[in-house]
Amino acid sequence: METRTDAAVASAAAVRPDSLSPSRASDFMQCPLLYRFRVIDKLPEKPSEAATRGTLVHAVLERLFDAPAAERTAPRAKALVPGQWDRLREARPELAELFADDAEGERLTRWLADAERLVERWFTLEDPTRLEPAERELFVQAELESGLKLRGIIDRVDVAPTGEVRIVDYKTGKAPRPEYTEGALFQMKFYALVVWRLKGLLPRRLQLVYLGSGDVITYDPEPADLERVERKLLALWEAIVAATESGDWRPRPTKLCGWCDHQAVCPEFGGTPPPYPLPVRAPASAVGEQGRMGPG
């Protein structure tokens, strides 16, 4: 019986990117090769304690709003942590490896306590008894005139009685220094653009809630600002399409490389990427097209 090689299987499973999310846009800006590994090759990554704790805290804050307003208290929220952790492990069995070597359960206990502290800190930043979110964990997708599809999941959408929309995102880390705030707001402006193009409604406020440091960053977008974001995303997508067609995905070394799961297959660390699973454009054609794109 004929068997297919791993490369053939990967090629059959690989598909060209057809949309852009804030996370994948950030991946490409950070390192095009990382984008390839995650989106095209779909290489597995080990779960991390920090990212998983963030997922857990998000789940708790989402579920808390199932309760009547008067019952949305810090003790109730903290009590949700163990149950949400159980649900998370059931949905993602690979998370069991996070604490596989924690025979006594001490590290897990500290980790859950950290999650409880983050949940408790949220009550010093917002009052859930006075909030009635219009949406929680809302998936949004819009197609721009160019054909580019933008998509993402918004943590919370609040709508005022007068109709103004506020987009809220929870972060379990610490707020960035002022000079890095613009980068932090990229995700929120992305969401605002999607809502604006989808609903024709400009969000009144974007709000980042940093549970790690107890800070709240707000920003009130203007149409011209979101139009700049749209142009940036279009340029970014053109670069992604070009790399997809050519198979030329360059690594971009930064201090973040130390946390990357793909060092073993990264040229910057002496590794070799897996065979590219998509057909590539002929070199001669690529040269010709680049020439036409160049200055006249």
Side-chain angles (χ1 to χ4, degrees):
M1 187 173 96
E2 183 178 346
T3 58
R4 294 197 294 173
T5 65
D6 290 344
V9 172
S11 180
V15 295
R16 294 179 180 275
D18 65 354
S19 62
L20 199 57
S21 69
S23 296
R24 300 294 79 86
S26 296
D27 285 346
F28 188 83
M29 289 187 289
Q30 176 186 325
C31 174
L33 186 58
L34 174 63
Y35 177 97
R36 177 201 147 169
F37 287 158
R38 285 179 167 170
V39 176
I40 295 177
D41 298 294
K42 295 181 171 59
L43 299 184
E45 297 182 351
K46 295 179 181 179
S48 73
E49 290 187 19
T52 305
R53 183 169 51 235
T55 302
L56 173 59
V57 170
H58 276 73
V60 169
L61 297 185
E62 180 191 3
R63 291 275 70 84
L64 182 66
F65 284 103
D66 289 340
E71 298 177 20
R72 298 171 194 159
T73 64
R76 183 185 181 97
K78 290 170 62 177
L80 290 173
V81 170
Q84 290 302 312
W85 171 232
D86 289 341
R87 290 183 61 183
L88 195 55
R89 283 186 302 169
E90 290 174 9
R92 296 173 54 189
E94 71 274 14
L95 296 181
E97 68 183 83
L98 278 174
F99 302 100
D101 59 348
D102 184 30
E104 301 299 321
E106 294 179 359
R107 211 169 80 248
L108 174 59
T109 299
R110 289 195 300 270
W111 184 82
L112 289 171
D114 287 342
E116 291 177 356
R117 279 191 288 272
L118 292 171
V119 167
E120 193 170 31
R121 181 171 287 155
W122 177 59
F123 286 82
T124 69
L125 305 173
E126 295 190 287
D127 181 358
T129 66
R130 299 170 61 87
L131 297 171
E132 289 298 339
E135 301 286 353
R136 290 173 276 154
E137 295 294 313
L138 174 67
F139 174 79
V140 291
Q141 179 171 291
E143 184 171 331
L144 306 181
E145 290 184 2
S146 65
L148 171 59
K149 294 178 183 177
L150 303 179
R151 59 180 175 80
I153 299 176
I154 301 174
D155 287 348
R156 198 179 86 217
V157 178
D158 300 332
V159 179
T162 48
E164 289 96 343
V165 170
R166 177 173 64 184
I167 296 176
V168 180
D169 195 74
Y170 309 120
K171 299 294 184 185
T172 49
K174 296 181 179 179
R177 296 199 300 266
E179 60 266 32
Y180 296 113
T181 299
E182 184 62 28
L185 283 170
F186 170 75
Q187 174 188 8
M188 303 302 287
K189 292 180 180 181
F190 186 109
Y191 291 148
L193 174 62
V194 173
V195 170
W196 189 30
R197 293 306 186 211
L198 186 63
K199 304 289 188 180
L201 179 66
L202 182 71
R204 175 70 179 83
R205 173 154 293 182
L206 311 178
Q207 181 166 302
L208 283 163
V209 181
Y210 285 93
L211 305 176
S213 56
D215 295 299
V216 176
I217 295 177
T218 61
Y219 180 80
D220 298 342
E222 297 289 341
D225 191 18
L226 298 188
E227 287 169 353
R228 284 192 293 271
V229 172
E230 185 171 14
R231 290 193 295 271
K232 178 177 181 177
L233 291 173
L234 290 174
L236 191 66
W237 185 246
E238 288 179 1
I240 290 173
V241 170
T244 302
E245 292 178 350
S246 68
D248 185 10
W249 300 89
R250 306 290 177 91
R252 183 175 296 145
T254 68
K255 61 183 180 180
L256 296 175
C257 291
W259 285 273
C260 184
D261 279 344
H262 308 301
Q263 293 181 14
V265 290
C266 178
E268 291 296 321
F269 292 87
T272 301
Y276 191 56
L278 294 174
V280 297
R281 185 176 55 197
S285 172
V287 171
E289 289 186 18
Q290 287 174 357
R292 286 195 295 273
M293 289 174 63

Coordinates of all heavy atoms in Angstrom, one line a residue, residues 47-60 63 77-100 102 105 107-113 115-116:
P47 N 2.0 24.8 25.4 CA 1.3 25.7 26.2 C 2.2 26.4 27.3 O 3.1 25.7 27.8 CB 0.1 24.9 26.8 CG 0.7 23.5 26.9 CD 1.5 23.4 25.7
S48 N 1.9 27.6 27.6 CA 2.7 28.3 28.6 C 1.8 28.6 29.8 O 0.6 28.8 29.6 CB 3.3 29.6 28.1 OG 2.3 30.6 27.9
E49 N 2.4 28.7 31.0 CA 1.6 29.0 32.2 C 1.0 30.4 32.1 O -0.2 30.6 32.4 CB 2.5 28.9 33.4 CG 2.9 27.5 33.8 CD 3.7 27.4 35.1 OE1 3.5 28.4 35.9 OE2 4.3 26.4 35.3
A50 N 1.8 31.4 31.5 CA 1.3 32.7 31.5 C 0.1 32.9 30.5 O -0.9 33.5 30.9 CB 2.4 33.7 31.0
A51 N 0.2 32.3 29.3 CA -0.9 32.4 28.3 C -2.1 31.6 28.8 O -3.2 32.1 28.7 CB -0.4 31.9 27.0
T52 N -1.9 30.5 29.4 CA -3.0 29.7 29.9 C -3.7 30.4 31.1 O -5.0 30.3 31.2 CB -2.5 28.3 30.4 OG1 -1.9 27.7 29.3 CG2 -3.7 27.4 30.8
R53 N -2.9 31.0 32.0 CA -3.6 31.8 33.0 C -4.4 32.9 32.5 O -5.5 33.2 33.0 CB -2.5 32.4 34.0 CG -3.0 33.1 35.1 CD -2.0 33.4 36.2 NE -0.8 34.1 35.6 CZ 0.5 33.6 35.7 NH1 0.7 32.5 36.4 NH2 1.5 34.2 35.1
G54 N -3.9 33.6 31.4 CA -4.7 34.6 30.7 C -6.0 34.1 30.2 O -7.1 34.7 30.4
T55 N -6.0 32.9 29.6 CA -7.2 32.3 29.1 C -8.2 32.0 30.2 O -9.4 32.2 30.1 CB -6.9 31.0 28.3 OG1 -6.0 31.3 27.2 CG2 -8.1 30.3 27.8
L56 N -7.6 31.5 31.3 CA -8.5 31.1 32.5 C -9.1 32.4 33.1 O -10.4 32.4 33.3 CB -7.6 30.5 33.5 CG -8.3 30.2 34.9 CD1 -9.5 29.3 34.7 CD2 -7.3 29.6 35.9
V57 N -8.4 33.4 33.2 CA -8.9 34.7 33.8 C -10.0 35.2 32.9 O -11.1 35.7 33.3 CB -7.8 35.7 34.1 CG1 -8.4 37.1 34.4 CG2 -6.9 35.2 35.2
H58 N -9.8 35.2 31.6 CA -10.8 35.7 30.6 C -12.1 34.9 30.8 O -13.2 35.5 30.7 CB -10.3 35.6 29.2 CG -9.4 36.7 28.7 ND1 -8.1 36.9 29.2 CD2 -9.6 37.7 27.9 CE1 -7.6 38.0 28.6 NE2 -8.5 38.5 27.8
A59 N -11.9 33.6 30.9 CA -13.1 32.7 31.0 C -13.9 33.1 32.3 O -15.2 33.1 32.3 CB -12.7 31.3 31.1
V60 N -13.2 33.3 33.4 CA -13.9 33.7 34.7 C -14.6 35.0 34.5 O -15.8 35.1 34.9 CB -12.8 33.8 35.8 CG1 -13.5 34.4 37.1 CG2 -12.3 32.4 36.1
R63 N -17.8 34.5 32.4 CA -18.8 33.8 33.1 C -19.5 34.6 34.2 O -20.6 34.3 34.6 CB -18.3 32.4 33.6 CG -17.9 31.4 32.6 CD -19.1 30.6 32.1 NE -20.1 31.4 31.4 CZ -20.0 31.6 30.1 NH1 -19.0 31.2 29.4 NH2 -20.9 32.3 29.4
A77 N -16.4 35.6 41.9 CA -15.5 35.5 40.8 C -14.4 34.5 41.1 O -14.0 33.7 40.3 CB -15.0 36.9 40.4
K78 N -13.8 34.7 42.3 CA -12.6 33.8 42.7 C -13.1 32.4 42.8 O -12.4 31.4 42.4 CB -12.0 34.3 44.0 CG -11.3 35.6 43.9 CD -10.9 36.2 45.3 CE -10.0 35.2 46.0 NZ -9.6 35.8 47.3
A79 N -14.3 32.2 43.2 CA -14.9 30.8 43.3 C -15.1 30.1 42.0 O -15.1 28.9 41.9 CB -16.2 30.8 44.1
L80 N -15.1 30.9 40.9 CA -15.3 30.4 39.6 C -14.0 29.8 39.0 O -14.0 29.0 38.1 CB -15.8 31.4 38.6 CG -17.2 31.9 38.8 CD1 -17.5 33.1 37.9 CD2 -18.2 30.8 38.5
V81 N -12.9 30.2 39.6 CA -11.6 29.8 39.1 C -11.4 28.3 39.0 O -11.0 27.8 37.9 CB -10.4 30.5 39.8 CG1 -9.1 29.9 39.4 CG2 -10.4 32.0 39.6
P82 N -11.5 27.5 40.0 CA -11.3 26.1 39.9 C -12.2 25.4 38.9 O -11.7 24.5 38.1 CB -11.6 25.5 41.3 CG -11.4 26.7 42.2 CD -11.9 27.9 41.4
G83 N -13.4 25.7 38.8 CA -14.3 25.1 37.9 C -14.0 25.5 36.4 O -14.0 24.6 35.5
Q84 N -13.6 26.7 36.2 CA -13.2 27.1 34.8 C -11.9 26.5 34.4 O -11.7 26.1 33.2 CB -13.1 28.7 34.7 CG -14.4 29.4 34.8 CD -15.4 28.9 33.7 OE1 -15.0 28.9 32.6 NE2 -16.6 28.6 34.1
W85 N -11.0 26.2 35.4 CA -9.8 25.5 35.1 C -10.1 24.1 34.7 O -9.5 23.6 33.8 CB -8.8 25.6 36.3 CG -7.6 24.7 36.2 CD1 -7.2 23.8 37.1 CD2 -6.7 24.6 35.2 NE1 -6.1 23.2 36.7 CE2 -5.7 23.7 35.5 CE3 -6.5 25.3 34.0 CZ2 -4.6 23.4 34.7 CZ3 -5.4 25.0 33.1 CH2 -4.5 24.0 33.5
D86 N -11.0 23.4 35.4 CA -11.4 22.1 35.0 C -12.0 22.1 33.6 O -11.7 21.1 32.8 CB -12.5 21.5 36.0 CG -11.9 21.2 37.4 OD1 -10.6 21.1 37.5 OD2 -12.6 21.2 38.3
R87 N -12.8 23.0 33.3 CA -13.4 23.1 31.9 C -12.4 23.3 30.9 O -12.4 22.7 29.8 CB -14.5 24.2 31.9 CG -15.7 24.0 32.7 CD -16.7 25.1 32.5 NE -17.2 25.2 31.1 CZ -18.0 26.1 30.7 NH1 -18.5 27.0 31.5 NH2 -18.3 26.2 29.4
L88 N -11.4 24.1 31.2 CA -10.3 24.4 30.2 C -9.5 23.2 30.0 O -9.2 22.9 28.8 CB -9.5 25.5 30.8 CG -8.5 26.2 29.8 CD1 -9.2 26.8 28.6 CD2 -7.8 27.4 30.6
R89 N -9.2 22.4 31.0 CA -8.4 21.2 30.8 C -9.2 20.1 30.0 O -8.6 19.4 29.2 CB -8.0 20.6 32.2 CG -6.9 21.3 32.9 CD -6.5 20.6 34.1 NE -7.6 20.5 35.0 CZ -7.6 19.7 36.1 NH1 -6.5 18.9 36.4 NH2 -8.6 19.7 36.9
E90 N -10.5 20.1 30.2 CA -11.3 19.1 29.4 C -11.3 19.5 28.0 O -11.3 18.6 27.1 CB -12.8 19.1 30.0 CG -12.9 18.5 31.4 CD -14.3 18.6 31.9 OE1 -15.2 19.1 31.1 OE2 -14.5 18.3 33.1
A91 N -11.4 20.8 27.7 CA -11.4 21.3 26.3 C -10.1 21.2 25.6 O -10.0 20.9 24.4 CB -11.9 22.7 26.2
R92 N -9.0 21.3 26.4 CA -7.7 21.3 25.9 C -6.8 20.3 26.7 O -6.1 20.7 27.6 CB -7.1 22.7 25.8 CG -7.8 23.6 24.9 CD -7.3 25.1 25.1 NE -5.8 25.1 24.9 CZ -5.1 26.2 25.1 NH1 -5.6 27.3 25.6 NH2 -3.8 26.2 24.9
P93 N -6.9 19.0 26.4 CA -6.1 18.0 27.2 C -4.6 18.3 27.2 O -3.9 17.8 28.2 CB -6.4 16.7 26.5 CG -7.7 17.0 25.8 CD -7.7 18.4 25.4
E94 N -4.1 19.0 26.2 CA -2.6 19.2 26.2 C -2.2 20.1 27.4 O -1.0 20.1 27.7 CB -2.2 19.8 24.9 CG -2.6 21.3 24.7 CD -4.0 21.4 24.1 OE1 -4.8 20.4 24.1 OE2 -4.4 22.6 23.7
L95 N -3.1 20.8 28.0 CA -2.7 21.6 29.1 C -2.2 20.8 30.4 O -1.6 21.4 31.3 CB -3.9 22.5 29.5 CG -4.3 23.6 28.5 CD1 -5.5 24.4 29.0 CD2 -3.2 24.5 28.1
A96 N -2.5 19.5 30.4 CA -2.1 18.7 31.5 C -0.6 18.7 31.6 O -0.1 18.5 32.7 CB -2.7 17.3 31.3
E97 N 0.1 18.9 30.5 CA 1.6 18.8 30.6 C 2.2 20.0 31.3 O 3.3 20.0 31.7 CB 2.2 18.7 29.2 CG 2.0 20.0 28.3 CD 2.5 19.8 26.9 OE1 1.8 19.3 26.1 OE2 3.7 20.3 26.7
L98 N 1.4 21.1 31.5 CA 1.9 22.2 32.2 C 2.4 21.9 33.6 O 3.4 22.4 34.1 CB 0.8 23.3 32.3 CG 0.6 24.2 31.1 CD1 -0.6 25.1 31.3 CD2 1.8 25.1 30.8
F99 N 1.6 21.0 34.3 CA 2.0 20.7 35.7 C 2.2 19.2 35.8 O 2.0 18.6 36.9 CB 0.8 21.2 36.6 CG 0.5 22.6 36.5 CD1 -0.5 23.1 35.7 CD2 1.4 23.5 37.1 CE1 -0.8 24.4 35.6 CE2 1.1 24.9 37.0 CZ 0.0 25.4 36.3
A100 N 2.7 18.6 34.8 CA 3.0 17.1 34.8 C 4.0 16.8 35.8 O 4.0 15.7 36.4 CB 3.4 16.6 33.4
D102 N 4.6 18.4 38.6 CA 4.2 19.0 39.9 C 3.5 18.0 40.7 O 2.3 18.1 41.0 CB 3.4 20.3 39.6 CG 3.0 21.0 40.8 OD1 3.8 21.0 41.8 OD2 1.9 21.7 40.9
G105 N 1.5 19.3 43.7 CA 0.5 20.3 43.3 C 0.8 21.6 43.9 O 0.0 22.5 43.8
R107 N 3.0 23.9 42.7 CA 3.1 25.0 41.6 C 1.7 25.3 41.1 O 1.4 26.5 40.8 CB 4.0 24.5 40.5 CG 4.7 25.6 39.8 CD 5.8 25.2 38.9 NE 5.3 24.8 37.6 CZ 5.3 23.5 37.1 NH1 5.9 22.6 37.9 NH2 4.8 23.2 35.9
L108 N 0.9 24.3 40.9 CA -0.5 24.5 40.5 C -1.3 25.4 41.5 O -2.0 26.3 41.1 CB -1.2 23.2 40.3 CG -2.7 23.2 39.9 CD1 -2.9 24.0 38.7 CD2 -3.3 21.8 39.8
T109 N -1.1 25.1 42.8 CA -1.7 25.9 43.8 C -1.4 27.4 43.7 O -2.2 28.3 43.8 CB -1.4 25.4 45.2 OG1 -1.9 24.0 45.3 CG2 -2.1 26.2 46.3
R110 N -0.1 27.6 43.5 CA 0.4 29.0 43.4 C -0.1 29.7 42.1 O -0.5 30.8 42.1 CB 1.9 29.1 43.4 CG 2.6 28.8 44.7 CD 4.0 29.2 44.7 NE 4.8 28.5 43.7 CZ 5.4 27.3 43.9 NH1 5.4 26.7 45.0 NH2 6.1 26.8 42.9
W111 N -0.2 28.9 41.0 CA -0.6 29.4 39.8 C -2.1 29.8 39.8 O -2.5 30.8 39.3 CB -0.4 28.3 38.7 CG -0.8 28.7 37.3 CD1 0.0 29.4 36.4 CD2 -2.0 28.3 36.6 NE1 -0.7 29.5 35.2 CE2 -1.9 28.8 35.3 CE3 -3.1 27.6 37.0 CZ2 -2.9 28.6 34.4 CZ3 -4.1 27.4 36.0 CH2 -4.0 27.9 34.7
L112 N -2.9 28.9 40.5 CA -4.3 29.2 40.6 C -4.5 30.4 41.5 O -5.4 31.3 41.3 CB -5.1 28.0 41.2 CG -5.3 26.8 40.2 CD1 -5.8 25.6 41.0 CD2 -6.2 27.2 39.1
A113 N -3.7 30.6 42.5 CA -3.8 31.7 43.4 C -3.5 33.0 42.7 O -4.1 34.1 42.9 CB -2.8 31.5 44.6
A115 N -4.0 33.5 39.5 CA -5.2 33.8 38.7 C -6.3 34.4 39.6 O -7.0 35.4 39.1 CB -5.7 32.5 38.1
E116 N -6.5 34.0 40.8 CA -7.5 34.5 41.7 C -7.1 36.0 42.0 O -8.0 36.9 42.1 CB -7.6 33.7 43.0 CG -8.2 32.3 42.7 CD -8.2 31.5 44.0 OE1 -7.7 32.0 45.1 OE2 -8.8 30.4 44.0

